[in-house]
Amino acid sequence: MVKKQSLMESLVNQNLFNSFFQNKTVLITGDTGFKGSWLSLWLKLLGANIVGFSLKAPISSPSHHSLLDLKITSHQGNMQNREELDKVIVKYQPEIIFNLAAQSLVRKSYANPENTYLTNINGTINILESIRSNLDNCCFINVTSDKAYENRETLKGYVETDPMGGFDPYSASKGCAEIITSSYRRSFFKNTPNVKIATARAGNVIGGGDWAKDRIIPDLIRSLEKNTQVSIRNPQSVRPWQHVLEPLSGYLLLAQKMGESGQEFNEAWNFGSEEAPVSVIDIVKNTALVFPDLKYKLDINPINAHEASLLSLNCDKSKKKLSWKAVWGMDETLTKTLEWYKSFYSNKESTLEASTQDVFEYIKKAKQLKIKWAQ
């Protein structure tokens, strides 16, 4: 394994994303979450000055964010509190903002719909209002979800112009966040050339360091750790699974394009898997090949709240206009994810090294595929 210090230095010195992020001040809301912690790591490797804004950490136990210990500038706050957001934005004047702060679980949104709507809708309004009041030069990417689409559960992948919707409170709140962001962009930022607003939608992400409840890989890992049997709900549901680094490469590339250009990238963008969707039970069976001690049972007649059984994205726009494409296939994605957890449980002090190595391997593969952002 490459030594973490030399690897971090080598990535800073590479021309990744045209060195756009080097010495830039980047605000990440939700930096303590699964995606946020990986994005913080990657941006640190790119030489950015990172400011985090999130609820009190850790949000899971263990916490990938806490284990990485990146020593970035972090602020505790709530997206529903405009004053807390204003203080951070006024003080640091970020040049790039990634909004990842959200209540991000479907089942939790059924248990607490009010908090889901307040966090995901009011939080979007608050950060857009804070940008409008306090910044005159900024690229803002609001990260939503593939679940923002009005899902008709067809094999056809959704394109960025398909209507927003949402059955459950989480999905509906993300659809609302998309509509609100689009409204602000057209109403208030159309004639502000240096303030650029976009949204990004991705599918179900997996990867090392996720311990959130009601997600398939964390549920399997917890059952292994506790030597208990895990109950698999909706085993035949399929998802376009992707490694967490896949959409993050899209977010970073989009921010670079926005920062280097006019307003032509101020739109909605899909960053999803290019492979056929894979069922939940296939994920479980492949995990059991790596961890033979895994014990599970299928919920044949589960009493569950509604969850989509089929959902996929069409990413032709991102491929054509951004030259973005996925790097790891499904087999490699699951292998990298499970290897990360094996490494963690054999040596919990290796989190930063193992995570950095994953970023390095992802970039190496992107270079081999001659993907533009990696050249």
Side-chain angles (χ1 to χ4, degrees), residues 32 42 56 60 71 77 208 211 245 283 298 301 325 345 358 365 372 374:
T32 58
W42 199 341
K56 183 179 180 181
S60 67
K71 296 179 173 56
W211 282 280
L245 295 176
I283 293 287
L298 306 184
N301 296 299
K325 65 178 295 186
Y345 284 106
D358 274 359
K365 180 69 175 291
K372 288 187 177 180

Side-chain angles (χ1 to χ4, degrees), residues 201-248:
R201 306 158 186 171
N204 287 54
V205 295
I206 60 176
D210 188 7
W211 282 280
K213 293 182 179 179
D214 293 325
R215 288 180 182 161
I216 184 62
I217 295 294
D219 285 349
L220 297 177
I221 295 300
R222 269 189 294 271
S223 72
L224 283 163
E225 184 183 13
K226 298 177 181 178
N227 194 28
T228 58
Q229 186 180 58
V230 61
S231 181
I232 307 300
R233 69 181 194 275
N234 304 322
Q236 300 305 323
S237 292
V238 297
R239 294 288 186 271
W241 311 95
Q242 58 187 154
H243 194 276
V244 63
L245 295 176
E246 301 283 15
L248 295 188

Side-chain angles (χ1 to χ4, degrees), residues 2 18 55 65 77 90 107 111 114 127 129 160-161 180-181 198 223 235 240 245 262 305 312 351:
V2 181
N18 200 28
L55 296 173
H65 171 269
V90 168
R107 284 162 65 86
E114 181 180 13
I127 196 165
E129 277 294 310
E160 287 83 351
T161 53
I180 290 165
T181 306
S223 72
L245 295 176
S312 60
T351 301

Side-chain angles (χ1 to χ4, degrees), residues 25-27 29 51-53 73 75 81-97 126-138:
T25 299
V26 181
L27 171 62
T29 68
V51 178
F53 182 90
T73 301
H75 289 268
N81 189 320
R82 168 74 188 281
E83 289 183 6
E84 292 176 348
L85 268 172
D86 279 346
K87 286 179 183 178
V88 172
I89 286 176
V90 168
K91 180 176 181 179
Y92 294 99
Q93 293 291 296
E95 298 156 273
I96 304 154
I97 300 176
N126 282 340
I127 196 165
L128 285 165
E129 277 294 310
S130 189
I131 291 169
R132 188 161 78 99
S133 301
N134 301 307
L135 297 177
D136 55 15
N137 189 346
C138 177

Side-chain angles (χ1 to χ4, degrees), residues 143-355:
V143 175
T144 62
S145 170
D146 59 349
K147 295 178 179 64
Y149 289 104
E150 181 61 37
N151 186 16
R152 297 179 176 86
E153 303 210 16
T154 66
L155 292 173
K156 174 183 173 290
Y158 293 102
V159 298
E160 287 83 351
T161 53
D162 281 333
M164 298 292 97
F167 185 104
D168 57 87
Y170 167 73
S171 302
S173 73
K174 286 299 189 178
C176 289
E178 283 280 355
I179 293 169
I180 290 165
T181 306
S182 175
S183 172
Y184 265 79
R185 180 172 57 233
R186 292 182 290 177
S187 299
F188 305 115
F189 298 108
K190 190 173 182 179
N191 297 315
T192 55
N194 293 324
V195 179
K196 301 164 185 180
I197 309 291
T199 58
R201 306 158 186 171
N204 287 54
V205 295
I206 60 176
D210 188 7
W211 282 280
K213 293 182 179 179
D214 293 325
R215 288 180 182 161
I216 184 62
I217 295 294
D219 285 349
L220 297 177
I221 295 300
R222 269 189 294 271
S223 72
L224 283 163
E225 184 183 13
K226 298 177 181 178
N227 194 28
T228 58
Q229 186 180 58
V230 61
S231 181
I232 307 300
R233 69 181 194 275
N234 304 322
Q236 300 305 323
S237 292
V238 297
R239 294 288 186 271
W241 311 95
Q242 58 187 154
H243 194 276
V244 63
L245 295 176
E246 301 283 15
L248 295 188
S249 71
Y251 306 162
L252 292 169
L253 179 59
L254 176 57
Q256 177 205 333
K257 295 290 188 181
M258 291 167 69
E260 294 177 343
S261 307
Q263 294 203 347
E264 63 264 38
F265 296 101
N266 295 2
E267 299 176 341
W269 301 86
N270 286 342
F271 300 105
S273 171
E274 297 183 83
E275 295 199 350
V278 176
S279 69
V280 171
I281 190 59
D282 283 340
I283 293 287
V284 175
K285 289 179 177 178
N286 280 284
T287 302
L289 294 176
V290 177
F291 295 101
D293 293 335
L294 179 66
K295 304 171 186 174
Y296 64 91
K297 66 176 180 177
L298 306 184
D299 269 347
I300 304 302
N301 296 299
I303 302 175
N304 287 330
H306 174 273
E307 292 186 65
S309 60
L310 178 63
L311 179 59
S312 60
L313 297 177
N314 180 310
C315 301
D316 288 349
K317 176 183 171 182
S318 295
K319 288 188 283 186
K320 181 178 179 180
K321 294 187 176 182
L322 297 176
S323 297
W324 177 85
K325 65 178 295 186
V327 174
W328 284 340
M330 187 59 216
D331 289 343
E332 198 164 10
T333 291
L334 188 57
T335 298
K336 293 291 185 183
T337 299
L338 298 179
E339 284 179 349
W340 190 98
Y341 285 105
K342 288 184 77 172
S343 173
F344 173 78
Y345 284 106
S346 65
N347 178 11
K348 295 183 180 181
E349 306 226 341
S350 70
T351 301
L352 177 58
E353 192 172 355
S355 301

